[in-house]
Amino acid sequence: MTREWREVLRYAGPMVLADGIGTAVPVVLIALIGTMGDEALYVRSLFMPVVFAFIAVQISVAVTTQVAVSLGAGRRFDSAVASTLWLARFGLGATAVVSGAFLLTAPLLADLLSVQPEVRDQFVRFVRWVALAQLTGVGPVVFAATLRGAERPRPAAALLLLAGGAEVAGVAALGLPGGAGWGLWSVPVAIAGAGALGTAVGFWLLFRSDLWKRGRPIGLRRETVLLRQVGLPVGSAHAVIFASNFVLTWVVSVFGVATVAGFAVAYTLQTMIIVPGMAIGSATAIVVNQFRGRGETDRLGHVVRAGLAVTGALYALVAAACWIGRDRIAGVLAQEPAAAAEAARYLELVAPTYLILGVVLAGMSVLEQTGAGALAVTLNTTYFVAICAVGGYLARHAGEAAPLYQTIAAVNLLGAVVVAAVLHHTRRLARPGAKALA
C-alpha cells in the first residue's frame, strides 16, 4: 500500500464512521418518531428540507476550519485555535440569522408545503423550536473539524459520535411512550442538549491536546479569504441541496401522506448513504492540502486517485446492499406499509446509481476544499436544477412520483463527468506556481 493510500485511509476511516453516524441520526430519529404516530412522522418528514439549511451553515464553517488548520501543517498548527474560535463565532452568528428567518417564516413554510390543516399549528411550533435548538450545533462540528485538520481524526470522530449518540438517546428517553412521553417535542430538547454537550467536550479535547497555542494569532484576513474560497462554495452546495430538497418535497406533497413520508424516508436514507463519499473526498482534500502545505505537490495526483478508488470500492458494496435489501430497509425505517412501499420503490430505481454518485460526491468535496469551489458550485447546481426541473415536471404531469425517481437515477449516471474535472484540477494544482489557498 502506497503512502498516499495510507494517508487517505487514516483520515477516511474515522471520518466515515463519525460523519456516517452523525448523518444517520435523522434516519434513526425518523424511525423513532414513526412509533409516535403517523402525524408525528408526517410533521418530521416535512421538516427534513429545513434541516439542510442549518447543515449548509455548519458544514461551510467546519470545512473552512478544517482547511485553515490542515494548511498549517508546515507550521505545526500553531494557529489552529485562533482559527477555530474566530470561525466558531462566525458560525454561531450565521446560524442565528438562519434560525431567525425560520422563526418568522414558519407559517409561510407550512403553506408552501401544503401541510394538512389538522397538524399545521404543530408543524409551525416544531419548526420554530428546532430552529432555536440548532444554535448549539455549531460547536461540535467546528471543534471536530479542527481536530481532523490537525491530524487527530480519532478524537474528532469520538466527538461527533458522542453528540449524535446523545441526540438519539435524548429522543428515545424523552419521546418514546416507555420514557417521559414527550413525543415529537423531545426532538428540539435532544438537539439542544446534544449540541451543548458536544461543545463542552470539544473545548476539553482542544485543551488536553497540544493545539491550544495562542502565540501566533492570524487575525481576520486569512479566515475571511478561506470563507470566500472554501466555505462559501461548500455552503452554497448545501444551500442548493436545501433548495432542491424543498422543491422535491413540494413536488411530492400533492401525492398524499404516504408518498411524502416514504419519499422523506428514502431521501433521508440517501443523505446518510452519500456521507461516506463526501467524507472520503474530504479526507482526500485534507491530505492534498497538507502535502501542499509541505510543498510536496508531486504527490497530489496519486492522493486524489487513491481517494476516488477507495470511494468506488466502497460504493459498489453500498449500491448492491441498498438495492437487494430495499424492502427490508424501507420496512424498518418507515413501518407504515404504504410509506415503506414508496421508499422501497425509490431505492429500486435509484440505488443502483449510488456507485457513480459516491465517486462524484468524493470528487466534488475535493474540488470544494482545494480551490475549485466555483466549479463545484456550478456542477452541483446543474445537477439539482436538472432533477428538480425535469423530474418535477414529469412527476406532476404523470400524477405520480416514479418519473421523479427515474430522473434522479439518470442524472446520477451523467454526473460521472465530475471525475474528469477533478483529475484535470489536480494536474493544475501540481504545476509549479499554482495559486495557493489563502
Side-chain angles (χ1 to χ4, degrees), residues 332-344:
V332 169
L333 294 177
Q335 298 185 8
E336 199 280 319
E342 187 67 26

Side-chain angles (χ1 to χ4, degrees), residues 291-359:
F291 278 155
R292 291 173 71 189
R294 299 185 182 106
E296 301 179 48
T297 56
D298 59 314
R299 311 307 302 170
L300 302 187
H302 299 286
V303 171
V304 171
R305 286 191 291 273
L308 296 179
V310 170
T311 308
L314 174 62
Y315 274 84
L317 300 175
V318 170
C322 289
W323 189 80
I324 293 171
R326 59 189 180 276
D327 292 324
R328 184 179 296 274
I329 293 170
V332 169
L333 294 177
Q335 298 185 8
E336 199 280 319
E342 187 67 26
R345 181 165 65 154
Y346 181 98
L347 291 175
E348 179 183 9
L349 295 171
V350 179
T353 67
Y354 287 159
L355 170 60
I356 301 297
L357 180 62
V359 177

